Amino acid sequence: MSLPIPPAVWLRCETKEFEHRAALTPTTAKALIDAGFDVSVERDPQRIFDDEEYAAVGAKLVPHSAWPNAPKDTLILGLKELPVQTTPLPHTHIQFAHCYKRQAGWADILKRFADGNGTLYDLEFLQDASGRRVAAFGFHAGFAGAAVGVLAFAAQKDGDKLGRLEAYKNEGELVADVRKALEQAEKKAGRKTKALVIGALGRCGKGAVDLFRKAGLEEENIIKWDMAETAKGGPFQEILDVDIFVNCIYLLTKIPNFIDAAFLEQAGASRRLGVVVDVSCDTTNPNNPIPIYDINTTFEEPTVTVDVPSTQPPLSVVSIDHLPTLLPRESSEAFSADLLPSLLELPNRQHARVWTEAEALYKQFRQEAVEELKKKGRA
């Protein structure tokens, strides 16, 4: 009996501004090629990995953004969502689509797949037998989010707003900058910095805690909460009593707000909280437990100022939805290495559990999207 033929995989470029990561690295591209896969890689000056790094391991370099012209049986691999358009999608795409929590525009995105008879394998919902994601950027998202939180807090203590962020070559350079900023902030504040991480037991939370430790926060000033501590239901005074709050939860259903506008208004001038880092970034999710902002921030403008009474100290939110690109090479290598075993199962994806479950989930939400648009007269 012959073995299934590995499919062609096409790594598309990322069009989101400041996005330097890649779902497939030269290391994992070589592993696929060695396993018999035909791997094409779009040329991309924005990607942290040079085109030549892929060519050196045997990948075929193809023009930037040429994936719409790829053969229909080619699997299109990427990270962030595609540009907003209405053209049908006939290919099978493997990416983060941000649809299954009914985020803004979710039905329109899935309609493109339905119209083109394509398929979506959402990277966020590729799970192992225990229900755990096979690959996630969580650790680096938390790590980078906490770093940006410290930098924003330091800028705030300087009477300023955090400016444009640039990707770092490695973790050491990032930590060095954060440590320096923290030292300066603590001198101006006249006290040690205190941080609270909610979701501290997960990948994301562990990353945030790791950054705070490496930045020099004292262990007693890194408050670690998870489901046990939030079970009583918010809002939580404890959030107002720290300098930096990092939200790392994985939101599935409606929960009591952690903080909200009314709670902030009641806090008065005694509020210590200066920076909120919403790593979970459920900005458009109606269940967002931090409804004090309504936009995603960017690497160009990393913070948004919260509207609070003039008698209160300033408050900023970091809500960047691709934080790991602050450390693009390290985060990409870690993510792609975790994803590789599942990619190697693609030749047998009609039977491999990780892929059959992902396809079933896609079909479920595709149907819900079609029904949603019918109600609006837009099917």
Side-chain angles (χ1 to χ4, degrees), residues 308-328:
V308 296
S310 59
T311 55
Q312 292 193 17
L315 178 62
S316 299
V317 173
V318 175
S319 56
I320 299 171
D321 66 2
H322 57 141
L323 281 163
T325 202
L326 196 64
L327 287 172

Side-chain angles (χ1 to χ4, degrees), residues 44-60:
D44 188 2
Q46 184 171 290
R47 190 185 293 128
I48 189 63
F49 303 99
D50 293 335
D51 297 338
E52 290 69 25
E53 293 183 68
Y54 291 98
V57 299
K60 179 172 66 176

Side-chain angles (χ1 to χ4, degrees), residues 27-265:
T27 303
T28 49
K30 182 179 186 304
L32 290 184
I33 293 167
D34 289 347
F37 285 70
D38 178 6
V39 177
S40 297
V41 175
E42 290 186 354
R43 295 181 180 275
D44 188 2
Q46 184 171 290
R47 190 185 293 128
I48 189 63
F49 303 99
D50 293 335
D51 297 338
E52 290 69 25
E53 293 183 68
Y54 291 98
V57 299
K60 179 172 66 176
L61 297 181
V62 292
H64 189 280
S65 298
W67 63 264
N69 300 318
K72 295 298 183 288
D73 59 351
T74 299
L75 305 183
I76 310 301
L77 177 61
L79 282 179
K80 299 303 290 183
E81 61 272 18
L82 296 169
V84 177
Q85 296 176 352
T86 58
T87 52
L89 295 171
H91 292 94
T92 293
H93 286 255
I94 306 171
Q95 65 176 69
F96 290 103
H98 305 297
C99 293
Y100 296 169
K101 299 178 190 175
R102 295 177 178 264
Q103 295 97 320
W106 72 278
D108 293 313
I109 294 169
L110 291 174
K111 184 178 185 297
R112 295 182 66 190
F113 285 95
D115 289 348
N117 199 31
T119 301
L120 169 66
Y121 292 126
D122 195 310
L123 288 167
E124 185 176 354
F125 296 91
L126 298 183
Q127 298 179 340
D128 63 20
S130 67
R132 182 178 173 83
R133 290 170 62 178
V134 299
F137 282 100
F139 181 87
H140 284 96
F143 193 94
V148 177
V150 173
L151 295 174
F153 177 66
Q156 190 180 85
K157 289 304 171 188
D158 225 7
D160 204 353
K161 188 175 181 179
L162 181 61
R164 175 187 172 113
L165 296 169
E166 297 288 353
Y168 284 82
K169 291 181 180 179
N170 55 61
E171 178 186 303
E173 290 187 4
L174 173 60
V175 170
D177 273 3
V178 172
R179 288 186 69 94
K180 181 179 178 181
L182 182 65
E183 290 172 2
Q184 294 173 346
E186 290 182 341
K187 284 181 181 178
K188 289 185 178 293
R191 63 171 186 249
K192 292 294 185 180
T193 303
K194 183 179 287 188
L196 169 63
V197 179
I198 295 186
L201 297 181
R203 290 165 166 159
C204 179
K206 289 177 180 176
V209 170
D210 188 48
L211 181 283
F212 284 135
R213 285 171 176 156
K214 290 177 177 176
L217 267 73
E218 296 175 357
E219 195 67 27
E220 63 185 20
N221 287 333
I222 307 173
I223 303 170
K224 311 168 195 70
W225 277 21
D226 211 88
M227 294 178 69
E229 289 79 9
T230 59
K232 62 184 180 181
F236 299 110
Q237 178 64 38
E238 291 89 341
I239 293 176
L240 303 182
D241 294 337
V242 299
D243 299 294
I244 304 169
F245 161 46
V246 184
N247 177 41
C248 292
I249 71 164
Y250 187 72
L251 183 66
L252 289 174
T253 58
K254 178 66 177 174
I255 59 175
N257 290 336
F258 291 163
I259 54 173
D260 52 37
F263 191 56
L264 289 174
E265 188 170 353

